[in-house]
């Protein structure tokens, strides 16, 4: 009995040590002083010290999640070609163990695709998803979930023109997104719910921000809701455009990915997406 307890305690101790361990990072040469070059050097060699056959590490969710979060945080400071190459290198290493591969794929989707993640990034997610879908090493259920997320992430990508739609403003006039954004050099487009506390926090932040040369378009995709929308719309700044989509089935048309509410984008006057999935934590930096 004592021997069994000792073995259990020893295994637990190993797990704790693994969870507390950091993956050794490559030492960047002093000759590389440009931040982007340093990030590119690190991201290319980030997983070099990882033993993907070490099941103590690859089954330690805390360790793997921290490694993935740090990896993607660095990747965001590189270009798409460098990031894609680093992702391929990571997945090639993880393929040494099917379960390690599945775990890093799952963690990558959660950290890059879910809006609440501190390193959420649709472009990076698409780089990972494209690689995973090409490899076809995941099971059928995982592939279906990945394909659904991929379809959502490709909607209204940064650098491309956002999907147009018509809406009726609180003044009763009908307009379209493409016409509405022409007024300003940049426009914040926010899909919101008038009964959403996070949306209200975002609204207050925008109202207090003193935006210059940046318009605001507020769209509620959920309809009137027994007068709630009109009452709430009347409280917003007069210079904002506040409206309801003309098409009552707007939610289901899949022209916008509303995986989280609020969903916030920044467009230029041609409706090209400058940034998407903005949050209270990053919008000031983006603006």
């Amino acid at each position: 009995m004592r021997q069994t307890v000792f073995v259990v305690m020893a295994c637990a101790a190993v797990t704790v040590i693994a969870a507390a361990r950091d993956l050794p990072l490559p030492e960047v040469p002093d000759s590389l002083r440009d931040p982007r070059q340093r990030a590119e050097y690190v991201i290319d060699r980030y997983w070099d010290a990882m033993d993907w056959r070490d099941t103590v590490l690859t089954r330690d969710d805390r360790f793997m999640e921290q490694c993935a979060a740090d990896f993607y945080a660095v990747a965001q400071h590189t270009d798409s070609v460098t990031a894609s190459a680093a992702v391929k290198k990571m997945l090639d290493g993880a393929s040494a163990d099917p379960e390690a591969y599945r775990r890093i794929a799952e963690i990558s989707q959660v950290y890059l695709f879910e809006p609440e993640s501190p390193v959420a990034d649709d472009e990076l997610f698409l780089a990972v998803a494209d690689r995973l879908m090409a490899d076809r090493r995941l099971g059928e259920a995982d592939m279906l979930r990945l394909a659904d997320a991929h379809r959502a992430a490709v909607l209204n990508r940064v650098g491309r023109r956002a999907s147009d739609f018509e809406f009726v403003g609180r003044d009763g006039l009908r307009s379209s997104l493409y016409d509405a954004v022409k007024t300003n050099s940049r426009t914040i487009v926010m899909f919101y719910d008038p009964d959403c506390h996070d949306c209200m926090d975002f609204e207050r932040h925008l109202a207090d921000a003193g935006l210059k040369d940046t318009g605001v378009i507020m769209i509620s995709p959920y309809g009137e809701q027994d007068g709630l929308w009109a009452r709430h719309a009347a409280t917003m700044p007069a210079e904002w455009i506040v409206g309801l989509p003309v098409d009552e089935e707007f939610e289901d048309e899949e022209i916008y990915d509303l995986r989280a509410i609020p969903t916030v984008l920044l467009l230029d006057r041609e409706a090209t997406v400058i940034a998407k999935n903005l949050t209270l934590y990053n919008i000031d930096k983006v603006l």
Side-chain angles (χ1 to χ4, degrees):
M1 178 67 178
R2 290 182 61 189
Q3 184 177 7
T4 302
V5 172
F6 176 79
V7 170
V8 171
M9 291 177 64
C11 289
V14 169
T15 301
V16 170
I17 291 172
R21 173 186 169 183
D22 291 324
L23 186 67
L25 296 180
E27 186 174 342
V28 184
D30 292 337
S31 58
L32 297 179
R33 298 188 178 277
D34 179 74
R36 180 173 288 271
Q37 289 181 328
R38 295 176 70 84
E40 290 172 349
Y41 185 93
V42 170
I43 206 68
D44 179 57
R45 297 162 178 79
Y46 184 89
W47 296 99
D48 284 0
M50 180 68 180
D51 181 359
W52 290 101
R53 292 185 174 84
D54 186 342
T55 56
V56 174
L57 293 181
T58 59
R59 273 54 166 180
D60 184 341
D61 289 339
R62 186 175 169 186
F63 171 78
M64 292 300 294
E65 288 178 14
Q66 187 61 61
C67 288
D70 292 344
F71 173 73
Y72 290 122
V74 176
Q76 289 174 335
H77 296 280
T78 66
D79 59 47
S80 59
V81 174
T82 301
S84 295
V87 165
K88 182 183 184 303
K89 190 174 181 180
M90 173 189 72
L91 293 176
D92 285 346
S95 66
D97 176 11
E99 180 59 18
Y101 185 93
R102 188 194 68 79
R103 283 174 179 251
I104 196 62
E106 181 180 39
I107 291 169
S108 296
Q109 180 167 338
V110 170
Y111 272 76
L112 294 177
F113 182 70
E114 296 302 328
E116 297 81 6
S117 168
V119 292
D121 187 315
D122 275 2
E123 292 303 311
L124 263 176
F125 167 71
L126 288 170
V128 176
D130 287 342
R131 187 74 252 165
L132 292 170
M133 294 168 76
D135 287 350
R136 302 197 66 80
R137 288 192 176 101
L138 297 175
E140 183 179 357
D142 290 329
M143 288 293 285
L144 287 173
R145 283 192 293 271
L146 186 66
D148 285 342
H150 189 281
R151 279 192 292 271
V154 296
L155 295 174
N156 305 295
R157 294 178 70 173
V158 171
R160 301 185 184 182
R161 205 175 191 198
S163 298
D164 196 18
F165 60 90
E166 292 188 319
F167 63 89
V168 176
R170 54 184 164 177
D171 54 7
L173 299 179
R174 188 164 175 160
S175 184
S176 71
L177 178 69
Y178 285 1
D179 286 337
V181 299
K182 292 178 180 177
T183 308
N184 297 284
S185 58
R186 301 184 305 177
T187 300
I188 294 168
V189 180
M190 176 169 152
F191 295 96
Y192 76 104
D193 182 346
D195 199 28
C196 159
H197 293 295
D198 289 341
C199 300
M200 294 178 192
D201 288 342
F202 216 119
E203 291 166 28
R204 284 191 289 267
H205 184 80
L206 292 177
D208 295 339
L211 300 172
K212 296 181 179 179
D213 301 320
T214 302
V216 176
I217 299 176
M218 306 290 291
I219 301 294
S220 175
Y222 305 116
E224 176 49 75
Q225 303 182 62
D226 296 324
L228 174 62
W229 174 80
R231 292 193 299 272
H232 183 77
T235 68
M236 295 188 188
E239 64 271 20
W240 290 6
I241 297 174
V242 186
L244 295 174
V246 171
D247 190 343
E248 294 181 357
E249 300 300 321
F250 180 85
E251 274 188 273
D252 304 319
E253 284 197 7
E254 298 185 356
I255 62 171
Y256 279 85
D257 169 30
L258 305 183
R259 78 189 81 148
I261 291 294
T263 290
V264 186
L265 300 89
L266 181 65
L267 311 182
D268 67 12
R269 65 173 70 251
E270 299 299 325
T272 302
V273 180
I274 300 172
K276 61 185 291 191
N277 299 329
L278 296 175
T279 68
L280 281 175
Y281 303 105
N282 65 16
I283 189 167
D284 291 337
K285 179 180 179 181
V286 171
L287 292 175

